[in-house]
């Protein structure tokens, strides 16, 4: 990469597992664009310094933000779209023409895209996790007209705060609770990710027409999705959301629409 070549990044801790560079580089290559996208490890104590350093680099177009920085980022960049109030987490930072930085969230739209054809009005969803990804999921479900959300989380206080902020009808359960009957189960926690503890959950209470959606994509087939398939439940894996939110971010970073007609080829590359 040359010194002046435009580039964007994905930051987090850990970050080595991220497939975002593969996605963005695939699109850049198909569009024959002279730009780059890479993963960069940033610890929580380094986050503020990272933003200051990158803002001084005119070649830097912005970054995607993953665990554990989605909430902390709210205090570091401008929020013209009211992401703090609407979602409470940022997953994308974009450099403007004048050098200023703004934050947004592409997770919500990315999450909803694979299930947008279904009618979720008045339905019941179970959400595992209460972090930054969970905030985007709740916002998306509210937009889709969900009727009730049960949050299963380690911190009942955090989960209660999410429900209060969203003003969606719901309840809170501890991690070891038995699942209630529901139409949709979403894992928005790191559990089941490579290097993390497994997600131990009994899917027996779910009806046969329930959908199980795991945001984890490393590994692609998580223990949760394997268990769901054994029960012949419909599943959505983490790549669908990852590609969906990446497409929105790509356009913000590079000013071009990603070539989505190559999605089948991209997905094969990601699962190879």
């Amino acid at each position: 990469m040359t010194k002046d070549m435009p580039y964007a990044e994905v930051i987090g801790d850990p970050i080595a597992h991220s497939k975002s560079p593969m996605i963005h580089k695939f699109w850049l290559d198909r569009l024959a664009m002279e730009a780059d996208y890479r993963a960069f490890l940033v610890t929580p104590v380094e986050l503020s310094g990272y933003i200051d350093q990158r803002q001084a680099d005119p070649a830097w177009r912005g970054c995607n933000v993953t665990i554990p920085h989605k909430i902390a980022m709210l205090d570091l960049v401008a929020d013209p779209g009211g992401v703090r109030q609407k979602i409470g987490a940022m997953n994308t930072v974009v450099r403007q023409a004048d050098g200023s930085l703004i934050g947004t969230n592409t997770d919500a739209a990315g999450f909803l895209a694979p299930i947008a054809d279904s009618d979720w009005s008045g339905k019941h969803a179970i959400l595992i996790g209460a972090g930054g990804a969970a905030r985007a999921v709740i916002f998306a479900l509210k937009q889709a007209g969900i009727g009730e959300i049960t949050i299963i989380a380690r911190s009942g206080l955090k989960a209660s705060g999410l429900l209060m902020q969203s003003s969606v009808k719901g309840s809170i359960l501890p991690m070891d609770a038995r699942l209630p009957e529901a139409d949709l189960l979403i894992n928005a926690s790191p559990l089941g990710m490579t290097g993390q503890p497994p997600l131990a959950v009994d899917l027996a209470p779910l009806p046969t027409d329930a959908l199980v959606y795991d945001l984890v994509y490393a590994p692609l087939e998580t223990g949760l999705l394997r268990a769901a398939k054994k029960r012949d439940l419909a599943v959505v894996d983490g790549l669908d959301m990852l590609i969906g939110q990446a497409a929105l971010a790509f356009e913000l970073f590079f000013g071009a629409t990603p070539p989505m007609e190559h999605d089948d080829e991209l997905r094969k590359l990601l699962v190879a």
Side-chain angles (χ1 to χ4, degrees):
M1 186 179 87
T2 62
K3 181 180 178 182
D4 298 325
M5 180 185 290
Y7 72 99
E9 297 172 304
V10 57
I11 64 168
D13 180 19
I15 200 60
H17 67 281
S18 177
K19 294 184 182 291
S20 292
M22 192 179 298
I23 295 171
H24 286 264
K25 287 181 178 182
F26 176 87
W27 288 333
L28 288 169
D29 179 67
R30 292 298 179 276
L31 294 174
M33 294 183 65
E34 291 291 324
D36 193 24
Y37 185 102
R38 62 201 187 194
F40 195 79
L41 176 67
V42 178
T43 66
V45 297
E46 296 170 330
L47 184 60
S48 179
Y50 165 85
I51 290 296
D52 290 341
Q53 183 183 54
R54 289 297 191 267
Q55 188 169 14
D57 183 358
W60 184 74
R61 294 294 182 262
C63 64
N64 289 118
V65 182
T66 187
I67 295 171
H69 304 314
K70 293 184 179 184
I71 297 173
M73 192 61 76
L74 290 164
D75 296 325
L76 299 178
V77 299
D79 180 19
V83 172
R84 181 187 292 273
Q85 290 75 30
K86 294 176 182 176
I87 299 179
M90 285 179 174
N91 82 319
T92 306
V93 175
V94 184
R95 181 188 188 90
Q96 302 298 284
D98 63 0
S100 63
L101 305 183
I102 66 168
T104 186
N105 193 304
T106 62
D107 276 341
F111 163 79
L112 201 55
I115 61 172
D117 290 340
S118 299
D119 181 10
W120 300 106
S121 301
K123 299 291 181 66
H124 180 197
I126 301 169
L127 175 62
I128 301 173
R135 291 171 180 268
V137 168
I138 290 176
F139 177 80
L141 290 175
K142 184 178 179 181
Q143 299 300 107
I146 202 75
E148 180 182 358
I149 300 176
T150 297
I151 302 180
I152 298 178
R154 290 194 182 97
S155 172
L157 189 61
K158 283 178 66 176
S160 296
L162 288 183
L163 278 183
M164 288 179 62
Q165 182 183 21
S166 67
S167 67
V168 174
K169 176 186 175 184
S171 57
I172 313 298
L173 292 175
M175 292 298 297
D176 58 355
R178 179 177 170 83
L179 295 183
E181 186 174 326
D183 306 287
L184 174 63
L185 171 66
I186 308 118
N187 177 34
S189 80
L191 295 176
M193 183 187 296
T194 302
Q196 297 289 331
L199 175 58
V201 59
D202 180 8
L203 301 181
L206 297 183
T208 57
D209 60 349
L211 173 67
V212 176
Y213 192 153
D214 198 338
L215 274 55
V216 171
Y217 59 85
L220 185 59
E221 186 176 68
T222 62
L224 176 64
L225 294 186
R226 282 196 301 273
K229 289 176 182 178
K230 286 181 180 178
R231 286 205 55 218
D232 291 326
L233 299 176
V235 300
V236 176
D237 63 50
L239 278 190
D240 287 314
M241 176 175 173
L242 181 67
I243 293 172
Q245 65 83 21
L248 298 170
F250 183 90
E251 193 158 354
L252 292 172
F253 295 146
F254 302 113
T257 301
M260 305 301 284
E261 65 272 17
H262 298 293
D263 264 12
D264 289 344
E265 184 182 355
L266 173 59
R267 191 176 176 93
K268 289 177 182 177
L269 179 67
L270 292 172
V271 301

